[in-house]
Amino acid sequence: MELSRRLYAVASLVTEGASVADVGTDHGYIPIYLMQQNIASKVIALDINGGPLERARMHIIGYNLKGQIETRLSDGLSAVKPGEVDTMIAAGMGGGLVIKILEDGREVVKSLKACILQPQSEVWRVRRYLLDHHMDIIDEDMVEEDGKYYPMMRVIHGESPRYTECEYIFGKRLLEKRNPVLEKFLHRELEIREGVFKELSHHVDSEGAKMRMTQIRRDMMIISRALGYYCIHPNL
Protein backbone atom coordinates (compact mmCIF):
# COMPACT_ATOMS: atom_id res chain seq x y z
CA MET A 1 0.00 0.00 0.00
CA GLU A 2 1.46 3.35 -1.11
CA LEU A 3 0.13 6.18 1.01
CA SER A 4 -0.08 9.86 0.12
CA ARG A 5 2.43 12.09 1.85
CA ARG A 6 -0.26 13.27 4.28
CA LEU A 7 -1.46 9.81 5.24
CA TYR A 8 2.08 8.48 5.52
CA ALA A 9 2.93 11.26 7.98
CA VAL A 10 -0.18 10.44 10.01
CA ALA A 11 0.68 6.72 10.07
CA SER A 12 4.25 7.54 11.11
CA LEU A 13 2.94 8.94 14.41
CA VAL A 14 1.57 5.51 15.39
CA THR A 15 3.91 3.54 17.64
CA GLU A 16 4.81 -0.08 16.94
CA GLY A 17 2.45 -2.60 18.53
CA ALA A 18 -0.42 -0.14 18.97
CA SER A 19 -4.05 -1.22 18.78
CA VAL A 20 -5.79 1.42 16.68
CA ALA A 21 -9.24 2.82 15.94
CA ASP A 22 -9.20 4.82 12.69
CA VAL A 23 -12.15 7.23 12.85
CA GLY A 24 -13.46 8.30 9.45
CA THR A 25 -11.39 5.65 7.72
CA ASP A 26 -12.79 6.43 4.25
CA HIS A 27 -10.93 4.02 1.92
CA GLY A 28 -9.20 2.20 4.77
CA TYR A 29 -5.73 3.06 3.51
CA ILE A 30 -4.17 3.80 6.91
CA PRO A 31 -5.45 0.56 8.54
CA ILE A 32 -4.14 -1.46 5.58
CA TYR A 33 -0.74 0.23 5.73
CA LEU A 34 -0.44 -0.22 9.51
CA MET A 35 -1.11 -3.95 9.23
CA GLN A 36 1.04 -4.48 6.13
CA GLN A 37 4.02 -2.82 7.80
CA ASN A 38 3.46 -4.73 11.06
CA ILE A 39 3.14 -1.44 12.93
CA ALA A 40 -0.26 -2.07 14.54
CA SER A 41 -1.26 -5.21 16.41
CA LYS A 42 -4.95 -4.54 15.78
CA VAL A 43 -6.97 -2.03 13.75
CA ILE A 44 -10.66 -1.16 13.74
CA ALA A 45 -11.71 0.92 10.72
CA LEU A 46 -14.64 3.21 11.58
CA ASP A 47 -16.84 5.40 9.43
CA ILE A 48 -20.23 7.06 9.92
CA ASN A 49 -21.24 6.37 6.31
CA GLY A 50 -21.89 2.95 4.85
CA GLY A 51 -20.51 3.76 1.40
CA PRO A 52 -16.96 4.64 2.49
CA LEU A 53 -16.97 1.75 4.96
CA GLU A 54 -17.89 -0.69 2.19
CA ARG A 55 -15.07 0.72 0.03
CA ALA A 56 -12.71 0.23 2.94
CA ARG A 57 -13.94 -3.34 3.40
CA MET A 58 -13.35 -4.14 -0.29
CA HIS A 59 -9.85 -2.67 -0.15
CA ILE A 60 -9.11 -4.73 2.97
CA ILE A 61 -10.25 -7.88 1.16
CA GLY A 62 -8.21 -6.89 -1.90
CA TYR A 63 -5.06 -6.69 0.20
CA ASN A 64 -5.77 -10.08 1.79
CA LEU A 65 -6.31 -8.57 5.23
CA LYS A 66 -9.83 -9.81 5.87
CA GLY A 67 -9.99 -10.98 9.46
CA GLN A 68 -7.07 -8.75 10.46
CA ILE A 69 -8.88 -5.42 10.14
CA GLU A 70 -12.40 -5.03 11.49
CA THR A 71 -14.82 -2.51 9.97
CA ARG A 72 -17.56 -0.87 12.01
CA LEU A 73 -20.27 1.66 11.17
CA SER A 74 -19.73 4.27 13.84
CA ASP A 75 -20.45 7.92 14.61
CA GLY A 76 -17.03 8.89 15.90
CA LEU A 77 -16.00 6.48 18.65
CA SER A 78 -19.55 5.35 19.47
CA ALA A 79 -18.92 1.76 18.31
CA VAL A 80 -15.71 1.42 20.35
CA LYS A 81 -15.66 0.28 23.97
CA PRO A 82 -13.25 1.80 26.51
CA GLY A 83 -10.06 -0.27 26.59
CA GLU A 84 -10.66 -1.93 23.21
CA VAL A 85 -7.81 -0.01 21.60
CA ASP A 86 -4.99 2.15 22.93
CA THR A 87 -4.70 4.61 20.03
CA MET A 88 -7.18 6.55 17.89
CA ILE A 89 -6.65 8.31 14.60
CA ALA A 90 -8.86 11.16 13.40
CA ALA A 91 -7.47 12.55 10.14
CA GLY A 92 -8.81 14.54 7.23
CA MET A 93 -11.73 16.28 8.94
CA GLY A 94 -12.47 19.76 10.27
CA GLY A 95 -11.19 20.85 13.65
CA GLY A 96 -14.72 21.26 15.00
CA LEU A 97 -15.52 17.65 14.15
CA VAL A 98 -12.28 16.42 15.73
CA ILE A 99 -13.25 18.18 18.96
CA LYS A 100 -16.78 16.71 18.80
CA ILE A 101 -15.39 13.19 18.36
CA LEU A 102 -13.09 13.66 21.36
CA GLU A 103 -15.89 15.16 23.47
CA ASP A 104 -18.61 12.65 22.53
CA GLY A 105 -16.18 9.75 22.96
CA ARG A 106 -14.54 11.03 26.14
CA GLU A 107 -14.97 7.74 28.02
CA VAL A 108 -13.09 5.91 25.28
CA VAL A 109 -10.55 8.73 25.00
CA LYS A 110 -9.81 8.45 28.73
CA SER A 111 -8.75 4.83 28.17
CA LEU A 112 -6.41 5.62 25.28
CA LYS A 113 -2.66 5.96 25.43
CA ALA A 114 -2.50 8.27 22.42
CA CYS A 115 -4.54 10.21 19.87
CA ILE A 116 -3.20 10.92 16.38
CA LEU A 117 -5.06 13.97 15.05
CA GLN A 118 -4.87 15.71 11.69
CA PRO A 119 -7.52 18.45 11.61
CA GLN A 120 -8.01 20.18 8.27
CA SER A 121 -9.17 23.47 9.80
CA GLU A 122 -9.25 25.39 13.09
CA VAL A 123 -6.13 23.62 14.26
CA TRP A 124 -5.63 26.23 16.99
CA ARG A 125 -9.06 25.33 18.43
CA VAL A 126 -8.06 21.67 18.59
CA ARG A 127 -4.80 22.53 20.37
CA ARG A 128 -6.62 24.72 22.88
CA TYR A 129 -9.25 22.03 23.53
CA LEU A 130 -6.56 19.43 24.15
CA LEU A 131 -4.59 21.56 26.57
CA ASP A 132 -7.76 22.64 28.39
CA HIS A 133 -8.61 18.94 28.87
CA HIS A 134 -5.24 17.89 30.30
CA MET A 135 -3.84 16.39 27.12
CA ASP A 136 -0.29 17.05 26.00
CA ILE A 137 0.78 17.40 22.37
CA ILE A 138 4.10 15.55 22.47
CA ASP A 139 4.90 15.51 18.76
CA GLU A 140 3.80 17.32 15.62
CA ASP A 141 4.55 17.11 11.93
CA MET A 142 3.52 19.10 8.87
CA VAL A 143 3.60 18.13 5.22
CA GLU A 144 2.84 19.86 1.95
CA GLU A 145 0.86 17.99 -0.66
CA ASP A 146 -0.56 19.39 -3.90
CA GLY A 147 -0.03 22.94 -2.69
CA LYS A 148 -1.86 22.39 0.61
CA TYR A 149 -0.37 22.24 4.08
CA TYR A 150 -1.36 19.60 6.62
CA PRO A 151 -0.37 19.75 10.31
CA MET A 152 -0.80 16.67 12.52
CA MET A 153 -0.09 15.78 16.12
CA ARG A 154 0.42 12.96 18.58
CA VAL A 155 -1.33 13.54 21.90
CA ILE A 156 -1.16 11.77 25.26
CA HIS A 157 -2.82 12.36 28.62
CA GLY A 158 -0.95 14.73 30.90
CA GLU A 159 -0.30 18.36 31.69
CA SER A 160 1.26 20.40 28.94
CA PRO A 161 3.68 23.34 29.02
CA ARG A 162 2.33 26.87 28.63
CA TYR A 163 1.65 28.03 25.09
CA THR A 164 2.05 31.46 23.55
CA GLU A 165 -0.52 32.70 21.05
CA CYS A 166 1.63 31.86 18.04
CA GLU A 167 2.30 28.38 19.47
CA TYR A 168 -1.44 27.72 19.67
CA ILE A 169 -1.90 28.88 16.08
CA PHE A 170 1.14 27.27 14.46
CA GLY A 171 2.15 24.47 16.83
CA LYS A 172 4.62 24.61 19.73
CA ARG A 173 6.34 21.35 18.77
CA LEU A 174 6.58 22.35 15.10
CA LEU A 175 8.16 25.67 16.04
CA GLU A 176 10.54 24.08 18.53
CA LYS A 177 11.72 21.62 15.86
CA ARG A 178 11.88 24.44 13.29
CA ASN A 179 9.86 22.30 10.94
CA PRO A 180 10.88 23.35 7.38
CA VAL A 181 7.40 22.87 5.92
CA LEU A 182 5.92 25.17 8.55
CA GLU A 183 8.61 27.74 7.77
CA LYS A 184 7.60 27.67 4.10
CA PHE A 185 3.93 27.99 5.10
CA LEU A 186 4.69 30.98 7.36
CA HIS A 187 6.56 32.81 4.61
CA ARG A 188 3.66 32.17 2.23
CA GLU A 189 1.09 33.43 4.75
CA LEU A 190 3.16 36.53 5.46
CA GLU A 191 3.51 37.29 1.76
CA ILE A 192 -0.24 36.89 1.19
CA ARG A 193 -1.06 39.29 4.01
CA GLU A 194 1.52 41.83 2.89
CA GLY A 195 -0.12 41.84 -0.54
CA VAL A 196 -3.62 42.30 0.88
CA PHE A 197 -2.39 45.03 3.24
CA LYS A 198 -0.80 46.90 0.33
CA GLU A 199 -4.03 46.67 -1.68
CA LEU A 200 -6.13 47.87 1.24
CA SER A 201 -3.80 50.83 1.80
CA HIS A 202 -5.30 52.36 -1.37
CA HIS A 203 -8.70 52.46 0.34
CA VAL A 204 -7.88 54.10 3.68
CA ASP A 205 -11.01 56.25 3.47
CA SER A 206 -13.09 53.10 4.03
CA GLU A 207 -13.80 52.21 7.66
CA GLY A 208 -14.02 48.55 6.68
CA ALA A 209 -10.60 48.71 5.04
CA LYS A 210 -9.10 50.29 8.16
CA MET A 211 -10.51 47.52 10.37
CA ARG A 212 -9.24 44.87 8.00
CA MET A 213 -5.79 46.46 7.93
CA THR A 214 -5.67 46.42 11.73
CA GLN A 215 -6.44 42.70 11.75
CA ILE A 216 -3.90 41.95 9.00
CA ARG A 217 -1.24 43.95 10.83
CA ARG A 218 -1.88 41.82 13.92
CA ASP A 219 -1.74 38.61 11.85
CA MET A 220 1.60 39.66 10.37
CA MET A 221 2.97 40.36 13.85
CA ILE A 222 2.01 36.85 15.04
CA ILE A 223 3.50 35.24 11.92
CA SER A 224 6.70 37.24 12.40
CA ARG A 225 6.92 35.99 15.98
CA ALA A 226 6.60 32.43 14.71
CA LEU A 227 9.31 33.02 12.12
CA GLY A 228 11.51 34.27 14.94
CA TYR A 229 11.86 30.64 16.08
CA TYR A 230 13.82 29.96 12.88
CA CYS A 231 16.29 32.78 13.53
CA ILE A 232 17.76 31.22 16.68
CA HIS A 233 21.21 29.71 16.12
CA PRO A 234 21.06 25.99 17.09
CA ASN A 235 24.33 26.23 19.07
CA LEU A 236 23.23 29.15 21.24
Side-chain angles (χ1 to χ4, degrees):
M1 166 65 67
E2 289 288 333
L3 293 181
S4 67
R5 191 175 302 167
R6 175 180 71 89
L7 294 183
Y8 176 77
V10 170
S12 296
L13 291 173
V14 178
T15 57
E16 188 175 344
S19 54
V20 181
D22 182 30
V23 182
T25 195
D26 196 21
H27 291 80
Y29 292 153
I30 288 179
I32 291 168
Y33 177 84
L34 292 176
M35 294 305 291
Q36 277 189 330
Q37 300 299 316
N38 296 312
I39 297 170
S41 61
K42 168 184 178 180
V43 183
I44 305 171
L46 308 167
D47 209 287
I48 192 173
N49 296 309
L53 198 65
E54 179 62 18
R55 286 198 297 271
R57 192 180 72 83
M58 295 307 296
H59 284 134
I60 290 165
I61 292 171
Y63 281 92
N64 297 313
L65 292 170
K66 183 180 179 181
Q68 296 184 55
I69 300 172
E70 185 179 351
T71 58
R72 295 182 191 175
L73 197 64
S74 179
D75 183 356
L77 290 164
S78 63
V80 179
K81 296 177 183 178
E84 237 187 320
V85 296
D86 60 36
T87 303
M88 71 160 281
I89 296 173
M93 58 191 74
L97 182 54
V98 170
I99 292 171
K100 183 178 186 301
I101 289 168
L102 293 171
E103 185 65 23
D104 290 351
R106 56 188 174 275
E107 291 306 314
V108 176
V109 173
K110 285 178 186 177
S111 72
L112 299 173
K113 291 181 180 178
C115 299
I116 313 298
L117 309 175
Q118 190 266 299
Q120 303 274 62
S121 62
E122 299 181 299
V123 186
W124 68 270
R125 276 190 63 206
V126 176
R127 291 191 182 105
R128 188 171 291 278
Y129 173 88
L130 293 168
L131 273 58
D132 286 347
H133 288 78
H134 311 289
M135 300 186 78
D136 185 15
I137 302 166
I138 61 168
D139 195 12
E140 290 184 284
D141 196 5
M142 189 177 200
V143 298
E144 180 186 2
E145 187 173 72
D146 298 328
K148 295 181 180 180
Y149 293 84
Y150 300 99
M152 58 211 66
M153 61 195 79
R154 178 177 172 83
V155 184
I156 63 170
H157 295 287
E159 298 303 321
S160 64
R162 295 173 67 88
Y163 273 50
T164 64
E165 186 177 22
C166 75
E167 288 171 346
Y168 271 116
I169 295 170
F170 300 114
K172 185 179 183 69
R173 304 301 182 187
L174 289 173
L175 290 167
E176 288 176 344
K177 294 192 296 185
R178 302 187 189 106
N179 180 278
V181 178
L182 174 60
E183 183 180 22
K184 182 178 178 182
F185 172 78
L186 290 169
H187 281 296
R188 190 196 72 166
E189 292 298 297
L190 186 60
E191 184 178 340
I192 289 170
R193 282 162 178 78
E194 286 172 343
V196 174
F197 190 89
K198 184 177 180 181
E199 181 63 29
L200 287 170
S201 66
H202 300 306
H203 307 280
V204 289
D205 293 335
S206 164
E207 195 61 35
K210 289 180 182 178
M211 291 177 62
R212 180 70 177 131
M213 287 173 72
T214 299
Q215 181 60 51
I216 292 174
R217 189 181 289 112
R218 185 173 183 279
D219 290 348
M220 290 192 295
M221 180 184 68
I222 294 170
I223 294 170
S224 295
R225 284 177 183 165
L227 282 168
Y229 282 75
Y230 293 85
C231 298
I232 302 171
H233 193 282
N235 294 323
L236 294 181

